[in-house]
Amino acid sequence: MSLHSKASNVGSYIGPHVGSGSHAGHLAGYHMPNGRAGGCRTVDKRVGTFEEMKWLTTEATCASLCTAREQLCTAFEFASLTGYTRCEIHTEAISYTVPVNGYRCYVKTQPPPPPPLPPPLPPPPFPAVPPPHAPPRPPRVPPPPIEPPSPPPPPPP
């Protein structure tokens, strides 16, 4: 296993993709960018950063390795060429594919957003009169009046 970060630009040709046979986008939780097979590329036309594992036998094995890495794996590329197989586990966002025979690039499918929350319930109606089971309120008694303080006694003669 080795970690690669390749900065070489790839040509800007994005034409008909090669190798889109029967595997085109049929792995659960993954999709092929633009629905076409080919090599993985970032938005700036680079191969991005990936971990390479050689001699893996199936796309499903490569997909399992990507899935096990959760947020660390954004996509995987599987290549099968005349008995040689290779898996790349990508850690950068992959935007599209370039046509390469025998290569298939799969990007993790984003889960659908959660459904919107239901609207809040309206407040319960305020009863105008207390319910019959509630005890009656005592009558309101006004507080006693406050009397002004009495004047001080006159000074002794």
Side-chain angles (χ1 to χ4, degrees), residues 36-135:
R36 310 259 173 126
C40 296
R41 294 298 181 265
T42 62
V43 70
D44 59 354
K45 301 177 184 170
R46 297 170 191 245
V47 296
T49 303
F50 60 88
E51 184 179 353
E52 182 178 33
M53 286 153 277
K54 298 177 181 176
W55 303 107
L56 288 175
T57 56
T58 66
E59 283 182 340
T61 303
C62 196
S64 294
L65 290 169
C66 184
T67 301
R69 286 176 168 79
E70 296 178 356
Q71 289 86 12
L72 298 178
C73 178
T74 59
F76 73 90
E77 179 183 286
F78 182 79
S80 179
L81 305 163
T82 318
Y84 168 76
T85 58
R86 179 180 57 83
C87 174
E88 292 177 358
I89 301 296
H90 285 262
T91 56
E92 286 184 62
I94 297 299
S95 301
Y96 67 97
T97 60
V98 294
V100 182
N101 276 327
Y103 283 61
R104 290 181 292 279
C105 176
Y106 292 92
V107 175
K108 279 187 179 176
T109 302
Q110 296 295 322
L117 294 173
L121 295 173
F126 186 78
V129 288
H133 63 277

